[in-house]
Amino acid sequence: MKRAATLSALVCLLAVTAAAPAAPETAPRPGRHHGTKATLLDSIPKRGVLKVCTTGDYAPFTKRDTADGTYTGVDIDMARDLAKSLDAKPKFVVTTWANLTKDVASRRCDIGVGGVSITLPRARQVYFSEPTREDGKTPIVRCADKDRFGTGALADIDKPGTTVIVNPGGTNEQFARAHIKKATIKLHPENTTIFQEIIDGRADVMMTDASETLYQSRIHPELCALHPEKPFTFSEKAYATPRGDDEFQEYVDQFVHLATHDGTYAKYEAEWMK
């Protein structure tokens, strides 16, 4: 009797289970490879053009020739390589430091390059690739004034009578406004001529990335970089891509990873820094 009752209960359970509606499949967890959106990784090869936003005013990374509009620089060479890897040609789009990440975020271009420093405010607007190099803010002054600024510490710079010159809209201005309280801050809109302002005595100091101070002191012997090997800050440079396009961002990551480990990036940089 007990066995018959057990079998009867089992039959009822199976019948109820069979009649119940099938449970919906578990929705796939959100991830980077959802595959539901169009990606630049596919559209760039189809159109044959990689749109590259760059300021053109920040050698050695990006430099625009005002006479013919051509671009050169470490990141310009890298952008050309990236375009080639996607069976495309680069189309360089003029932008400014104040608008670079906005232009990438709005898809005015596919990627932003040219010595772009990773910052948290920028990272809220765009994705950043794997870093290309480390950097940080350091002073550059007239070599004749090196003794005037002692060790090059902020306390030696931030004094009445000192004019600190900056280009507007980027991390140089942000750094100066955060740390300069006693010296005069002078805005100069043309990054391509800003170092001549120091040479000609219309400004005393600029604090910019160590990589730029090394390059500028090489092409302008009148200028000396102060402690570029020990900058005030730590930062990394990378390439900006539109938020939401994970496939393209991961491809750019891989491209940068290979170029920074197989000697390609170092070769391009050496051509400007030697």
Side-chain angles (χ1 to χ4, degrees):
M1 291 294 291
K2 289 183 179 180
R3 182 179 180 186
T6 300
L7 289 173
S8 177
L10 179 59
V11 169
C12 289
L13 178 61
L14 290 173
V16 170
T17 302
E25 292 185 8
T26 303
R29 295 179 64 185
R32 298 181 66 82
H33 294 289
H34 45 73
T36 59
K37 293 182 179 179
T39 171
L40 290 169
L41 191 58
D42 296 329
S43 60
I44 290 170
K46 288 179 181 177
R47 75 167 104 104
V49 174
L50 173 72
K51 293 180 290 183
V52 183
C53 272
T54 192
T55 62
D57 64 354
Y58 189 24
F61 303 105
T62 175
K63 182 179 181 182
R64 183 175 182 267
D65 189 318
T66 54
D68 59 15
T70 57
Y71 287 84
T72 54
V74 178
D75 289 339
I76 300 302
D77 287 336
M78 288 281 284
R80 290 193 173 102
D81 286 354
L82 176 62
K84 184 178 180 180
S85 76
L86 291 166
D87 301 319
K89 294 182 178 180
K91 178 182 178 181
F92 296 104
V93 180
V94 179
T95 189
T96 63
W97 287 108
N99 292 325
L100 189 146
T101 50
K102 296 176 187 176
D103 286 341
V104 175
S106 67
R107 308 264 177 154
R108 181 170 177 251
C109 46
D110 306 318
I111 191 168
V113 311
V116 184
S117 297
I118 300 172
T119 68
L120 293 179
R122 287 173 175 171
R124 292 178 64 181
Q125 299 182 65
V126 297
Y127 285 163
F128 277 108
S129 70
E130 182 171 310
T132 54
R133 74 182 326 274
E134 292 183 7
D135 223 322
K137 302 303 178 191
T138 200
I140 185 169
V141 303
R142 289 181 296 276
C143 295
D145 287 346
K146 282 183 68 176
D147 291 343
R148 171 184 171 187
F149 295 105
T151 63
L154 280 168
D156 296 325
I157 295 169
D158 189 20
K159 294 179 177 180
T162 298
T163 299
V164 176
I165 194 166
V166 296
N167 53 314
T171 57
N172 289 340
E173 182 182 6
Q174 293 168 13
F175 180 83
R177 295 201 181 281
H179 296 91
I180 298 302
K181 306 302 178 184
K182 300 174 184 177
T184 300
I185 295 177
K186 177 181 178 179
L187 290 179
H188 187 77
E190 294 295 331
N191 206 34
T192 54
T193 59
I194 197 167
F195 294 96
Q196 193 64 42
E197 295 293 297
I198 302 174
I199 294 170
D200 293 342
R202 290 185 289 271
D204 302 307
V205 186
M206 182 177 180
M207 289 178 288
T208 185
D209 293 325
S211 55
E212 185 177 31
T213 66
L214 290 170
Y215 171 72
Q216 291 295 335
S217 62
R218 183 178 70 81
I219 64 173
H220 297 297
E222 309 96 321
L223 299 177
C224 287
L226 304 182
H227 58 78
E229 72 289 347
K230 292 183 179 180
F232 293 131
T233 62
F234 168 82
S235 67
E236 293 177 314
K237 296 191 181 303
Y239 304 141
T241 61
R243 278 180 54 183
D245 194 334
D246 302 310
E247 288 86 352
F248 182 59
Q249 192 264 346
E250 288 182 354
Y251 182 85
V252 175
D253 263 351
Q254 190 60 41
F255 167 80
V256 172
H257 182 78
L258 293 172
T260 53
H261 286 76
D262 67 6
T264 299
Y265 185 87
K267 179 186 72 173
Y268 292 151
E269 196 172 68
E271 292 171 1
W272 287 81
M273 295 298 195
K274 62 185 178 181

